[in-house]
Amino acid sequence: MAEVRLQTIRKSFNKTAVLHGISLDIRSGEFISLLGASGCGKTTLLRIVAGLEGVTEGRVEIDGRDVTSLAPEKRDIAMMFQSYALLPHLSVAENVRFPLRMRGIGNRDEQAEKVRAALETVQLGHLAERKPRQLSGGQQQRVALARAIVSNPKVLLLDEPLSNLDARLREDMQVELIEIHRRLALTTIFVTHDQEEALSLSDRIVLLNAGRIEQQGTPDEIYNQPATSFASNFIGSANLVPAEIVDGPQGPVARLGDGQELALATGETARGTATLAIRQEDLSLTTSGAGPAAKIRTRVFLGARNRYVMTLAGETLRALTPNDVVLADGAEVRLTVEPARIRVIRG
Amino acid sequence: MNDRTENLLLALPGLLLLALAFLLPIGQMLALSISGPDGPTLDHFVRFLSDPYYLGVLWRTVRLSFLITLICGAIGFPLAYIMTKVGPRLRLWLVVMVILPLMTSVVVRTFGWMVLLSRSGLIPQMLRDFDLVGRNFALMQTEIAIVVGMVQVLLPFMTLSILGVLTRIDGRLEEAARTMGCSFLQTVRTVVLPLALPGIVAGSLLCFTLSASSFVTPNLLGGSRIQVLAASIYRSVTSAPDWPFAAAQAVILFVGILLVLLPYIKLTGGKNG
């Protein structure tokens, strides 16, 4: 257990700046997610904490100690790689014992006991003597997790560990990660591009965009109060619609590009040019009734739901509806949105 | 025609060539090695194995081959490792540099070494000038000269064998090892070296067999005093034409190399390749 402090971290590769001064305090025992699209610098940031990458500028502290120029093996961290990085020439048990052996933790018997306990934790005790290549992807994943937690590191670093798993295994692993984190209370930094994963696992989410922190907060804050249009588009892939906020007879309304209007919450104070962020699941479609008219372009059947892609005032909108709402391509529909569910982003 | 016969048909020309150019001469050599004036005999082998001079030649051949292989590995592994770590441009230059010596004939290269190593050559002269060695110091016609010459000839085989395996090792394994408490050298020892083993074994086999059977370089650099088996075979054929004895020596060389190969092949068979 340890706190991690990053101070104005800058990083450039061949004069291309990847991180533009990131400062972040991670509390002891916190599960924090670095969320962002590929190329936003989240993995680079994680590798800087691990010591696999140096910084161009800035300072990294683990547990109050400056580790900026410390080699990775001296940082007392554990990292789980996207490709698992199990050592192919060692058995599962030897892989899990590896960090204990290299750090000289305990004698042979104590190590064997720790390895057994770690493998029990991920329910792989029965495969201890296998070689990694004899395991399925999900099993390799759990071996990598056991190997990461066995030495009880100060900080646990997870680099998109779930992205190579199929949907079902991923859900299982998420639960496993939550439970392990609850039990061991390890300070955990989790890198992902999957917003659902970040929302379901983290105490705090740090949303990165092009090497800067776009927004940070609890999953609830990030989801319900996105601060920028990037945040609202990235989290929940909300629709972004440019609009002019004006006063209507019954309170503020948003005037869209083609003159159609959407009612906003009465408490909305912004006026003038703005961007509306509307979640896909908050749009309801009707064939008759009030609300702006849009034209259906495509229906994507998702099983439990339908996704409709449509055009409204020249903008592409997506809506998630129950799967019993069936509309033909080219049909004209009316859109209704609960005014309180529309987020107005100034500028 | 099914797949099996089709495959067999495709392999046929190669098999035929192998039989004609390899198995037939080997058979002939075996037959020759036990031929005597009065029918089959083991006299040639007895003569070789009971003569301390020839046993010395055999021992020197094996000893030098081991030493050359060891040195090639000690230089080739770090070199190949560095080649996997540098950028693609630099790597290309390094590969060219390693392969370049192969583009000149062994004879030419060996004469080059003769110039450098001879009594008044650059290297002994320099060592003498710095007072590092005595006035009678010589490098030519010593085992050192053979080793130096052969290492240069065989280094590309070792380096490229190891390079081929090293480039297939996932770099993240080394990073993972670092995050698990390994220093750089520990990472090389516990991760890179075991995974590179198939390449090291393949390179060692090449180096050992090629140096045990090499003739030109040891002969020119070692001179007539320091003979290796291949040179001794050559002499048996040319100076006092004694084909059966030469064949017996060739068989001993052949069997000796085979004996070295067997444990090596076992070593890699057990590991994951």
Side-chain angles (χ1 to χ4, degrees):
Chain A
M1 280 236 281
E3 54 185 21
V4 177
R5 170 169 294 178
L6 305 177
Q7 287 174 351
T8 54
I9 303 285
R10 287 176 201 282
K11 175 73 183 173
S12 307
F13 291 108
N14 295 327
K15 292 180 183 163
T16 310
V18 181
L19 297 173
H20 306 271
I22 298 229
S23 294
L24 191 61
D25 281 343
I26 300 164
R27 291 187 302 278
S28 189
E30 191 176 22
F31 194 120
I32 196 162
S33 289
L34 303 179
L35 176 64
S38 61
C40 72
K42 57 190 191 299
T43 295
T44 305
L45 193 58
L46 191 77
R47 290 168 59 83
I48 284 173
V49 177
L52 295 172
E53 215 75 73
V55 298
T56 308
E57 217 185 295
R59 186 179 154 95
V60 183
E61 277 179 22
I62 295 176
D63 219 4
R65 172 166 164 240
D66 182 3
V67 298
T68 315
S69 50
L70 208 61
E73 67 266 23
K74 295 186 181 131
R75 292 195 179 190
D76 200 3
I77 44 117
M79 182 157 169
M80 196 168 153
F81 291 73
Q82 188 175 3
S83 58
Y84 317 141
L86 297 178
L87 301 172
H89 58 296
L90 299 180
S91 72
V92 165
E94 286 166 331
N95 259 289
V96 177
R97 193 166 80 95
F98 194 82
L100 299 176
R101 190 154 63 93
M102 288 303 147
R103 294 190 193 283
I105 299 173
N107 59 32
R108 217 159 220 294
D109 293 341
E110 288 161 6
Q111 288 178 1
E113 176 54 32
K114 282 189 170 154
V115 169
R116 203 192 54 74
L119 283 174
E120 284 307 315
T121 307
V122 297
Q123 295 145 38
L124 281 180
H126 57 295
L127 298 177
E129 296 315 314
R130 297 265 184 95
K131 285 281 172 71
R133 65 168 186 280
Q134 296 169 303
L135 305 182
S136 70
Q139 288 167 337
Q140 292 186 23
Q141 172 70 49
R142 303 222 295 278
V143 175
L145 181 59
R147 191 176 67 173
I149 60 175
V150 71
S151 61
N152 196 27
K154 280 185 177 154
V155 186
L156 178 60
L157 308 172
L158 307 170
D159 183 11
E160 308 218 17
L162 307 181
S163 56
N164 285 348
L165 300 178
D166 59 53
R168 176 67 208 289
L169 273 174
R170 196 178 318 181
E171 280 173 28
D172 291 350
M173 272 307 283
Q174 282 182 9
V175 174
E176 217 153 300
L177 274 180
I178 292 173
E179 287 176 350
I180 285 175
H181 178 252
R182 201 170 292 160
R183 188 141 33 96
L184 305 178
L186 290 172
T187 308
T188 306
I189 307 180
F190 180 80
V191 159
T192 183
H193 64 268
D194 184 318
Q195 44 128 342
E196 268 178 48
E197 239 167 60
L199 290 171
S200 54
L201 292 172
S202 330
D203 297 322
R204 180 152 57 113
I205 294 175
V206 176
L207 184 62
L208 292 173
N209 179 26
R212 290 192 173 81
I213 293 180
E214 188 81 19
Q215 188 180 359
Q216 53 174 308
T218 64
D220 185 60
E221 283 165 6
I222 290 274
Y223 189 80
N224 289 318
Q225 299 155 41
T228 62
S229 54
F230 176 85
S232 43
N233 185 253
F234 195 85
I235 307 274
S237 45
N239 295 296
L240 297 179
V241 187
E244 187 81 19
I245 315 289
V246 295
D247 286 304
Q250 280 114 35
V253 294
R255 186 168 290 148
L256 307 177
D258 60 352
Q260 304 197 73
E261 288 180 351
L262 257 175
L264 297 176
T266 45
E268 183 57 54
T269 53
R271 294 293 180 273
T273 312
T275 303
L276 308 181
I278 308 169
R279 274 184 210 294
Q280 301 188 35
E281 60 269 33
D282 292 337
L283 276 171
S284 32
L285 312 182
T286 50
T287 43
S288 57
K295 199 169 184 175
I296 302 284
R297 293 216 317 254
T298 314
R299 177 175 77 123
V300 182
F301 182 60
L302 302 174
R305 305 211 243 187
N306 277 327
R307 169 173 291 135
Y308 283 102
V309 183
M310 59 210 149
T311 314
L312 171 71
E315 300 289 324
T316 297
L317 257 65
R318 290 176 177 78
L320 276 173
T321 68
N323 71 359
D324 55 354
V325 177
V326 179
L327 299 160
D329 289 1
E332 181 147 302
V333 289
R334 298 285 175 169
L335 302 177
T336 47
V337 195
E338 181 82 29
R341 305 295 298 171
I342 301 177
R343 238 186 122 64
V344 177
I345 297 156
R346 282 164 220 245
Chain B
M1 213 188 315
N2 62 24
D3 275 2
R4 237 183 109 80
T5 52
E6 213 169 83
N7 286 345
L8 205 66
L9 215 65
L10 284 171
L12 209 58
L15 289 175
L16 225 61
L17 186 72
L18 196 67
L20 277 175
F22 182 67
L23 296 178
L24 198 70
I26 294 262
Q28 232 174 0
M29 183 181 81
L30 282 170
L32 198 59
S33 71
I34 53 167
S35 72
D38 335 302
T41 171
L42 287 174
D43 280 356
H44 312 299
F45 292 98
V46 173
R47 186 178 143 205
F48 184 94
L49 295 171
S50 58
D51 187 335
Y53 171 76
Y54 286 113
L55 284 178
V57 170
L58 177 65
W59 170 235
R60 177 183 299 126
T61 306
V62 173
R63 188 162 43 86
L64 288 185
S65 300
F66 264 121
L67 191 62
I68 290 161
T69 307
L70 206 69
I71 295 174
C72 279
I75 301 175
F77 179 78
L79 183 58
Y81 184 74
I82 289 166
M83 282 159 90
T84 60
K85 295 296 160 198
V86 298
R89 261 180 81 91
L90 189 53
R91 185 188 317 179
L92 186 70
W93 280 111
L94 285 172
V95 170
V96 167
M97 250 174 60
V98 168
I99 296 178
L100 210 57
L102 291 179
M103 295 180 183
T104 55
S105 122
V106 175
V107 180
V108 174
R109 267 183 291 165
T110 306
F111 274 113
W113 280 115
M114 287 170 78
V115 172
L116 284 175
L117 298 176
S118 68
R119 236 184 131 56
S120 54
L122 183 68
I123 293 170
Q125 190 69 51
M126 216 157 74
L127 291 174
R128 269 195 296 271
D129 287 349
F130 284 111
D131 259 345
L132 291 170
V133 292
R135 272 162 42 83
N136 290 325
F137 178 77
L139 273 173
M140 270 307 287
Q141 315 212 332
T142 63
E143 292 187 352
I144 295 174
I146 298 181
V147 171
V148 168
M150 286 305 294
V151 164
Q152 197 228 351
V153 174
L154 296 177
L155 191 59
F157 297 97
M158 180 66 95
T159 310
L160 296 179
S161 301
I162 297 176
L163 182 66
V165 177
L166 281 183
T167 48
R168 288 202 303 271
I169 298 177
D170 183 356
R172 267 158 300 194
L173 293 179
E174 288 171 59
E175 291 187 341
R178 296 300 297 273
T179 64
M180 289 187 283
C182 283
S183 66
F184 169 72
L185 285 178
Q186 279 176 317
T187 306
V188 171
R189 193 168 53 80
T190 55
V191 178
V192 183
L193 214 51
L195 291 175
L197 199 62
I200 297 172
V201 168
S204 304
L205 286 182
L206 271 175
C207 280
F208 187 83
T209 50
L210 288 176
S211 59
S213 57
S214 67
F215 166 69
V216 176
T217 306
N219 206 37
L220 290 178
L221 293 176
S224 55
R225 271 193 310 125
I226 301 180
Q227 288 231 316
V228 293
L229 205 45
S232 163
I233 295 169
Y234 175 77
R235 209 170 50 156
S236 297
V237 174
T238 50
S239 58
D242 188 351
W243 284 92
F245 186 55
Q249 292 182 61
V251 169
I252 287 166
L253 179 61
F254 182 70
V255 171
I257 289 175
L258 215 61
L259 284 179
V260 175
L261 295 196
L262 283 178
Y264 254 135
I265 290 165
K266 256 200 171 138
L267 188 71
T268 38
K271 305 271 178 190
N272 44 307

